[in-house]
Amino acid sequence: MIHRTDAKVETKDAVVDDDAAEAADDRYHKGDARDGGGKGKKDKKNKKPKGGQNTSRTFGSSRDTLPLCSTRMLSNEFSPKECGFGDKCRFEHDLRKYLKEGRREDLTTFNGKCPIHEVKGYCHLGWKCRFVGSHSQERDTEDGRKELVLIEDSQRTSTMVNLEDEVDVANVVSKDVKIGLAKRKIQTPRADQYMKWIDSNKDNERAMFDSAAGDSEALKEEKEARRAEYVEAPFRPSEKRRLYYGPETPSLAPLTTQGNMPYRRLCVDLGCQITWSEMAMGMPLIQGERGEWALMKAHESEISPPKFLQKNTVVQGYDNASDMKFGAQIAANKPWLAAKTVEVLTDHCPKLRAIDLNCGCPINLVCEKGAGSALLDQESKLESILRGMAYVSKETPITVKVRMGTKDNNPTATKLIKRLVLGGFEAVQSGKGTSGIAAIALHGRSKQQRYSRSADWSYIAECASLIKRLKSEKDARTDTVAEADPRDLANGGHVYFVGNGDCYSHEDYYNNINNAGVDSVLIGRGALIKPWIFEEIEKGQYLDKSATERLAYIEKFAKYGLQTWGSDEMGIGTTRRFLLEWLSFAHRYVPHGLLEYLPPNIQDRPPKFRGRNDLETLMASENYKDWIKLSEMFLGPAHPNFKFEPKHKSNAYEIEAEG
């Protein structure tokens, strides 16, 4: 038996390094050219090194010894495409030499069958695939020679417009669109019109409120006097699809790095009802950057409707058949940037349940640019950003994720939530309406707190109670000058409220819903440690998964990863990297059969223990080299040049608390 009481982290002086779940990736370092970043010469003397503990992580390389020329990759041996570089090409043209000397041997995992070919009937990586033996053969030609040829399932490929297309994946944005965005050939007319309207009324509104000096009667007179100067909105926000949250819709929180498509697929398989993309930065999206747009891809299992048992308030007009599980989360620091980002997303990604604005990310690299948690202290700006998003998003609902505040012992979420639900006084009076959000998610910690100490569910309960009271307050404002236009009220005026923080069991989940009064719960680290938490929630009981069952989840992730990132050497390296990122959380799981008490606490840290068998002991290892051993069971031996350094500072759980 494991007694865990003495193993708790002293969070006053140390913090669990769970910023890894929202960690600082290199893409957060990219500057905003429209904010003065420009392209000019860089001042090397004043250039600051990248900050943050995870910004210097490297993963080595996973490449073939002799890279095969792309003209040979998908061609049969005797009918290659012509290479434009001819004899000067630095890639290998001799197919047999490449197969013998230029690559590592085929993998025998997954019964030796290519995961991509099994789904598509065709492998777009051709001879570079590490399972190529399962979709190639040597045949005799008419002239007596032996030719290596690739095999495809013509019956399945005949239905595909482009063999390079991903199968069962939605929101795949074409190369032409990305190039058009990069060259600014694709415009954002709705966002441009909206921002022009806001700017045209700015001075007039400021003068109107200054003259009224807070007097409601004087404000009425000022509005009448200035009516001729007021510029009408070019369009109203489109009516949004209705959303639904209830006890039957446990959600996977947006997670940087770990929130990739293969992991979301695994969670959906295990009962997750709502998923979110990794946080995408607004500027790279409107600039057409491939890596950022890749975050918008969703598997077909994510575009199916979430479970709907009507266990909570159902908004009139909600259509479960048209609902879906997958939503996109973005980060933006200015109204124009957020509006443009939402416009290009809704134009080119048709399968989005909602678009969420991240106002909870505590990473300094994000906050220093005025995005993430930095917006919590700028209520008016945040409201403007959300309103602009709602104006241009067509039928896609807009939601927001926030924290309790920026500083410890000074929560400000109640004040912010009231403003977002009812609309700021000046915004409503000037005719711009409310923020237009359909749901709010609250993480029960401050920005300064990051992941130290437990989430404050008593404060989340206070905010849930506030939202219920605001409905009455809305009714009280009817027939007053402060009444908002009904067209500006998303979700029929009903704002769902979702809690987030430290949910690690079905008991935590239902306690939070029943006692805190939230509509549903976002689950982050709890799902990373045990993704079958969604299955526990559905069945209402603890599931003591055996090591063999847990290993099957690792195998499934590996298979999904190869289908997403590729079955060639580079794709296997990428899959291995993300698998190890997940295992850096999953190894923390302690089987329920070994625990002394339930429910388990996500902040507890047990001492080292021996599992019920050798595999269970291996899966509980803190050493990342043991995680690599687990990956090798399905991805074969790691490439000699592959490297991995956990975000958790190698094997340490605690780091010095920030702030």
Side-chain angles (χ1 to χ4, degrees), residues 131-190:
F131 299 87
V132 70
S134 67
H135 50 77
S136 67
Q137 65 182 21
E138 188 176 57
R139 70 181 180 188
D140 294 324
T141 62
E142 293 181 357
D143 58 2
R145 293 186 298 171
K146 292 186 180 295
E147 180 185 21
L148 293 171
V149 297
L150 293 169
I151 302 171
E152 64 179 59
D153 184 341
S154 57
Q155 186 173 356
R156 280 192 285 173
T157 56
S158 63
T159 61
M160 298 175 63
V161 177
N162 185 351
L163 294 181
E164 299 299 312
D165 288 345
E166 297 177 67
V167 176
D168 302 333
V169 176
N171 298 333
V172 178
V173 178
S174 71
K175 184 178 180 180
D176 290 341
V177 169
K178 295 168 193 169
I179 292 174
L181 289 169
K183 294 183 176 181
R184 299 192 183 184
K185 291 183 178 179
I186 295 179
Q187 303 297 315
T188 52
R190 297 198 306 278

Side-chain angles (χ1 to χ4, degrees), residues 18-220:
D18 278 334
D19 292 319
E22 297 182 21
D25 285 348
D26 273 345
R27 59 195 179 91
Y28 297 157
H29 291 276
K30 294 176 182 177
D32 184 340
R34 304 188 195 189
D35 288 338
K39 285 187 178 180
K41 296 181 179 179
K42 296 180 180 179
D43 186 352
K44 294 183 178 179
K45 292 182 180 180
N46 296 325
K47 186 178 179 181
K48 295 182 180 179
K50 293 179 180 180
Q53 76 178 77
N54 293 312
T55 55
S56 61
R57 299 173 75 216
T58 59
F59 303 97
S61 64
S62 299
R63 298 178 183 275
D64 291 329
T65 306
L66 297 175
L68 184 66
C69 179
S70 60
T71 61
R72 303 300 192 265
M73 186 174 77
L74 297 173
S75 302
N76 292 336
E77 184 179 10
F78 298 157
S79 54
K81 296 179 181 178
E82 183 178 351
C83 178
F85 295 96
D87 294 337
K88 296 181 180 180
C89 181
R90 59 191 179 93
F91 297 107
E92 185 58 54
H93 284 200
D94 187 330
L95 180 58
R96 290 186 183 266
K97 181 179 179 181
Y98 165 75
L99 293 175
K100 184 178 180 180
E101 304 174 18
R103 66 190 287 275
R104 295 198 291 164
E105 70 283 353
D106 269 10
L107 294 177
T108 58
T109 53
F110 305 109
N111 297 317
K113 296 181 180 179
C114 172
I116 297 175
H117 193 276
E118 284 209 301
V119 174
K120 299 172 63 172
Y122 169 84
C123 179
H124 62 278
L125 294 161
W127 298 109
K128 295 174 68 175
C129 174
R130 290 282 306 280
F131 299 87
V132 70
S134 67
H135 50 77
S136 67
Q137 65 182 21
E138 188 176 57
R139 70 181 180 188
D140 294 324
T141 62
E142 293 181 357
D143 58 2
R145 293 186 298 171
K146 292 186 180 295
E147 180 185 21
L148 293 171
V149 297
L150 293 169
I151 302 171
E152 64 179 59
D153 184 341
S154 57
Q155 186 173 356
R156 280 192 285 173
T157 56
S158 63
T159 61
M160 298 175 63
V161 177
N162 185 351
L163 294 181
E164 299 299 312
D165 288 345
E166 297 177 67
V167 176
D168 302 333
V169 176
N171 298 333
V172 178
V173 178
S174 71
K175 184 178 180 180
D176 290 341
V177 169
K178 295 168 193 169
I179 292 174
L181 289 169
K183 294 183 176 181
R184 299 192 183 184
K185 291 183 178 179
I186 295 179
Q187 303 297 315
T188 52
R190 297 198 306 278
D192 293 340
Q193 289 180 58
Y194 173 78
M195 293 310 303
K196 183 178 179 181
W197 170 58
I198 293 297
D199 290 341
S200 64
N201 286 323
K202 188 188 306 180
D203 293 339
N204 186 39
E205 289 171 3
R206 186 72 271 146
M208 178 178 71
F209 287 110
D210 287 346
S211 298
D215 187 301
S216 59
E217 290 301 319
L219 183 58
K220 279 184 179 180

